[in-house]
Amino acid sequence: MARAKSKKFRSSIKKSATPSDAIVETEDTKFSLDRMPAELIHKVCGFLKPSEVVNIRVISRKIAVIGLQYIAPTVTLTLSENSYDRLLEIAHHPVVSRYVYMLQYEHDFLKELGLASWRRNIESPESIANRPEDYDRSPGAGASERDWRAYWRNFPPRHQCRTSQLEQAFSIYQRQCAEQDHVRQSGFFSETLAKALERLPNLTTINMPALGRHSRYQTEVWALLQVSYNPARIESDNLPIIRSLILAVEQAAGNIKGGNDEISGDPQAKNQGQTNQCTGSAASGNGQSGLRIRNLSLGSFDWRMLQQDEVLAAMKKSIHYLTHLDMHFINDRRLKGHIDYSAIPNDTWAATECMEKGRLVEFLTSAPNLDELNISFDACNSDLNTNLRDIVGTFYWASLKTVHFRLITVTENNLTNFCKRHSATLTNLSLGDIHLRGRIGDSWYSIFWKIRRATKLEMATVYGTLDAGSRWEMDDYQDTRRKTGTLVGRYLVGCSGNDHLGTFLQDERFREAEERQAESRRRLYNVQYETLPARNLERPENLSGFFDDLAGVI
């Protein structure tokens, strides 16, 4: 009888713990990733890193097929034979090759160093965080060894790496130097590069970052030492590198292999690839499919590329379908880390002559569909003729929306006429470190007034130094809201009804001064209010004393 009661009691407890309407999780009710629609799996893969996509591909065959499209949307190419071979392997894959959209070409040359010199580039994150305040004030070139010892004595240990670890990391650096020399002697594997590009039908972006952005060179050392590592680099002669790339792009534009057909349900290809359709030739013009580069970023462009007729012709053909162009002209005086002073005058004269002949204008106008144009020069090229007239000429880009000019020379007429020509489409203008040259009476006040009247800008950025006989600093405040460049940008987009720039700046400065004074008074009041003596305000006799204290603060 007791057993029957206990069995009945356990049954009642079980029924009360599990209501009849509760959902019990079974294998049939579990929500698995491979049971999701293909569109949602594409969305999930789009938020993951390529290494994470590799991990989820093992779930099922369905996810493996879809994830294959997200393994290599961006391929990084470095000066290593293995890197070129990897690019060629990706290009020959029947699926992955159709979903490569960007080529990142890191073309830095590492400087060959001894172990002692190389170790100076190693520093732990803790050492960086605890640098003394006078870190940048090192002894001068004529300082004694005692001064240098006293200087380094204030620093914490740069790292805690063992000697064996450092030697192993240094061997990696030596291997990287040997690999780059082999690539240089092999002509940067131009044939391999051309064959790979021919099999990447949806490649639309090529990015050659500025010198010093060698992230792949740092990865191996970081994995071994877990310290910050800044490998010594040199501003090498990158003319053969860019030349091999341009010729490879030009060759691939007419000899593309494979198709741009999409796998059903692939929103990535629809979003990124609608402008990637390879149904025309950028080079041959005969209607066969070809590679169409839409975005090109040259972070270290050498002006001598414009002197070579063969390369210039190839460049003009390969950029015909560009919509985004970013070019930064480097100073070519440093080749292999040395400066040949005897060649400086000749190089400057040759570069100026090349610009005045309109070679850059000829190149830029070969991309009539640009909607974004960024042109900048090295500060070391201050003696080079960088006149806006010799950069863009009088050409009109019908779709141009965003323009960024840095370290160039303008006149009031050519800058304002450029903005007027593109007033119908121009929405974003950025000017940095611009030199004004022209007639007596030309001023930035007049230029900005004309640009404001002629355009309908949505965003404007002015920074650096505007030079017009006298220097006008745009970055004159640490607070970005109060910089003169920020105020000029607000003026250009029409944030005020005041049409005169001088009056607008004066009013804004006066308003900011009033805001700072009000903020100071508010802070002072808060401090003094906190110092009021504590009083029990529930008692009527204390109220009069409280109001007397408050009146003293106010």
Side-chain angles (χ1 to χ4, degrees), residues 242-262:
I242 301 180
R243 182 179 183 276
S244 65
L245 175 64
I246 293 299
L247 293 179
V249 171
E250 191 266 343
Q251 179 178 339
N255 300 321
I256 198 75
K257 294 180 175 63
N260 63 331
D261 50 323
E262 302 173 0

Side-chain angles (χ1 to χ4, degrees), residues 6 18 37 51 55 57 66 80 89 132 145 156 180 188 200 211 229 253 266 322 336 356 363 391 398 441 444 455 484:
S6 70
T18 308
S51 58
N55 294 332
R57 289 186 66 239
I66 296 177
S80 167
E89 291 177 2
E145 294 184 5
Q180 74 179 17
F188 303 99
L200 301 176
L211 294 174
Y229 167 58
D266 177 14
L322 276 188
K336 297 293 291 178
E356 291 179 348
F363 169 67
I391 297 174
W444 285 110
T455 61
T484 299

Side-chain angles (χ1 to χ4, degrees), residues 483-504:
K483 288 182 178 180
T484 299
T486 303
L487 299 180
V488 173
R490 291 173 53 192
Y491 170 80
L492 290 175
V493 298
C495 289
S496 171
N498 199 323
D499 208 29
H500 189 270
L501 176 58
T503 306
F504 171 78

Side-chain angles (χ1 to χ4, degrees), residues 380-439:
C380 299
N381 283 328
S382 57
D383 53 351
L384 178 65
N385 181 18
T386 58
N387 197 299
L388 182 62
R389 176 198 59 202
D390 300 328
I391 297 174
V392 297
T394 58
F395 191 78
Y396 168 66
W397 285 276
S399 304
L400 192 62
K401 299 178 181 178
T402 302
V403 174
H404 176 207
F405 293 135
R406 180 175 181 268
L407 284 169
I408 66 172
T409 301
V410 302
T411 64
E412 181 172 334
N413 284 337
N414 59 32
L415 180 57
T416 55
N417 289 338
F418 174 84
C419 294
K420 288 178 181 178
R421 286 198 306 272
H422 302 92
S423 58
T425 58
L426 189 62
T427 58
N428 188 348
L429 178 64
S430 177
L431 302 173
D433 298 306
I434 307 296
H435 175 69
L436 176 61
R437 180 187 300 169
R439 302 166 301 179

Side-chain angles (χ1 to χ4, degrees), residues 351-360 377 385-386 390-391:
T352 301
E353 183 183 35
C354 177
M355 297 285 289
E356 291 179 348
K357 284 183 178 179
R359 303 297 289 251
L360 181 56
F377 290 82
N385 181 18
T386 58
D390 300 328
I391 297 174

